[in-house]
Amino acid sequence: MEKKQLDWSNLGFGYIQTEKRYVSTYKDGAWSEGMITEDPMVTLNECAGVFQYAQTVFEGMKAYTTEDGRIVTFRPDLNASRMADSARRLEMPVFPEEKFIDAVVQTVKANAAYVPPFGSGASLYIRPYMMGTNPVIGVKPADEYMFRIFVTPVGPYFKGGAKPIAIKVSDFDRAAPNGTGHIKAGLNYAMSLHAIVTAHEEGFAENMYLDAKTRTKVEETGGANFIFITKDNKLVTPKSSSILPSITRRSLMYVAEHYLDMKVEEREVELAEVKDFAEAGLCGTAAVVSPVGKIVDHGTEICLPSGMSEMGPVTKKLYDTLTGIQMGRIKAPEGWIKEIC
Ligand code: PLP
Ligand code: COI
């Protein structure tokens, strides 16, 4: 298989259309067999549930080329089960978890020429998504659905890659206490668009959202969870029922404890204590581990001691170990790596 001629090392986080994608449809209570198709267009009725009441959920994962030339993906079983949770919360039929993994494998295999080479710093972003497709005008769930997966080769999510970013404490809330913050629903991202445009206009890379009820506790950003490193080398990460249960964060907690011999605390994190941490970072599939150098809270600057020029040393160790596992340089815990071809 010949790789595409792309400038792999200079890719941003954007959409590059590839030749193949996966599609399966749900009708009369059953999912179709599912197949690879070349058609990137989705044509739906004007009244489709997804257009009227935003009935759509999605996932984000990556495929990598390992040093010895295999194509692998990372913990797809967790994306399959999180997508099932998302679907249940939005009254959508679950796309069976085994079928999800098989669909990911088929889609990546069909696009193997687009999986960036080892060492390029790029990866193949995989976007499974699902939507209500039949006409719905009274507020109720659709009866028919489409599940699709497309892929796109990507570089770093934040410009500058491993350079620390500055973020702001948002005046907007991302998720309500009993809302949908813990699932990956398109609606969570739609309502974050105004906040991210505002943050970008003010020169910030992202928003730090606080808990909507008390506005005193750290939740997450628009597209990643937080990790913090204490001055005595503990990993602290916010616990909340209204943040997305990040697979990267769960993996980093394991890596910190079992590979780096660190203590790990998943607990409520007060905004007021952030100034006492030694390092801060964002974690997610797209963000990987992105260092945060500065957090601005309405004119008050919280400058992390790790600074704005380089990733802090502990964040770097976490980053190196996690990406080493994902790219096959470091032995992975049982079941974390799914070989595709
Ligand atoms: N939080 C939000 C809001 C996200 O969109 C993402 C990205 O998927 C994450 C956290 C990180 O989750 P994961 O590590 O599973 O990609
Ligand atoms: C991901 O990390 O996969 C996401 O879905 C986050 C998004 C901001 C790209």
Side-chain angles (χ1 to χ4, degrees):
M1 174 265 315
E2 200 153 313
K3 289 279 175 198
K4 295 284 165 184
Q5 294 298 310
L6 295 178
D7 186 3
W8 303 111
S9 305
N10 289 307
L11 292 176
F13 194 88
Y15 174 67
I16 295 172
Q17 191 175 300
T18 73
E19 281 100 13
K20 308 274 175 65
R21 64 271 303 129
Y22 178 93
V23 60
S24 169
T25 52
Y26 181 90
K27 197 174 174 171
D28 300 327
W31 286 103
S32 69
E33 168 83 22
M35 62 174 200
I36 295 290
T37 165
E38 298 206 336
D39 190 359
M41 307 306 279
V42 181
T43 305
L44 297 179
N45 185 277
E46 61 193 352
C47 197
V50 60
F51 296 142
Q52 302 313 319
Y53 303 123
Q55 201 185 15
T56 176
V57 296
F58 70 101
E59 270 303 321
M61 30 202 316
K62 280 177 173 169
Y64 312 87
T65 305
T66 60
E67 201 159 12
D68 58 2
R70 291 170 300 130
I71 294 177
V72 300
T73 188
F74 186 68
R75 311 188 77 178
D77 52 324
L78 299 188
N79 294 93
S81 77
R82 189 170 66 188
M83 190 150 185
D85 289 342
S86 298
R88 281 187 281 262
R89 179 64 176 81
L90 288 201
E91 292 295 338
M92 302 166 93
V94 166
F95 193 73
E97 295 181 31
E98 279 308 313
K99 197 171 163 82
F100 176 102
I101 296 171
D102 176 60
V104 167
V105 169
Q106 283 191 47
T107 316
V108 174
K109 246 189 211 163
N111 290 285
Y114 287 93
V115 184
F118 176 79
S120 62
S123 54
L124 188 76
Y125 188 71
I126 308 166
R127 173 55 63 90
Y129 62 112
M130 201 170 119
M131 72 209 115
T133 51
N134 66 296
V136 168
I137 193 68
V139 178
K140 63 175 181 137
D143 303 305
E144 295 173 14
Y145 293 85
M146 191 184 292
F147 171 91
R148 298 178 69 99
I149 306 178
F150 69 80
V151 295
T152 180
V154 295
Y157 190 69
F158 294 107
K159 271 197 221 96
K163 271 244 169 249
I165 55 170
I167 65 174
K168 67 170 281 193
V169 175
S170 181
D171 288 323
F172 299 100
D173 294 322
R174 176 186 170 274
N178 298 303
T180 55
H182 61 299
I183 59 156
K184 215 157 162 55
L187 62 92
N188 293 336
Y189 299 80
M191 52 72 59
S192 76
L193 295 177
H194 179 59
I196 193 68
V197 169
T198 310
H200 286 166
E201 281 168 1
E202 293 171 7
F204 299 103
E206 252 292 4
N207 283 293
M208 170 184 271
Y209 291 103
L210 303 179
D211 74 290
K213 194 168 174 188
T214 71
R215 302 193 61 80
T216 58
K217 293 186 272 278
V218 176
E219 293 255 301
E220 60 174 329
T221 67
N225 281 180
F226 278 106
I227 54 167
F228 299 101
I229 309 298
T230 63
K231 290 183 177 140
D232 60 354
N233 202 41
K234 263 190 270 178
L235 173 77
V236 176
T237 186
K239 187 180 176 77
S240 160
S241 57
S242 50
I243 65 174
L244 193 75
S246 158
I247 293 161
T248 314
R249 191 242 308 153
R250 287 182 262 165
S251 304
L252 285 171
M253 289 165 69
Y254 186 91
V255 162
E257 195 172 339
H258 298 277
Y259 285 65
L260 302 177
D261 207 19
M262 293 170 66
K263 290 227 157 45
V264 173
E265 285 177 5
E266 186 185 13
R267 61 164 171 82
E268 290 187 344
V269 174
E270 300 288 329
L271 175 61
E273 65 177 302
V274 170
K275 62 175 181 5
D276 301 324
F277 290 123
E279 299 176 31
L282 306 185
C283 65
T285 299
V288 193
V289 180
S290 299
V292 175
K294 184 158 80 176
I295 301 161
V296 178
D297 176 17
H298 303 91
T300 303
E301 291 198 344
I302 305 169
C303 295
L304 279 302
S306 49
M308 283 301 285
S309 57
E310 270 178 55
M311 202 183 265
V314 182
T315 307
K316 173 100 174 65
K317 263 196 268 175
L318 287 163
Y319 173 90
D320 286 343
T321 313
L322 180 72
T323 55
I325 290 171
Q326 290 169 330
M327 290 176 206
R329 273 185 291 108
I330 297 174
K331 191 172 169 3
E334 190 63 35
W336 279 24
I337 299 297
K338 169 87 183 167
E339 191 161 322
I340 288 179
C341 53

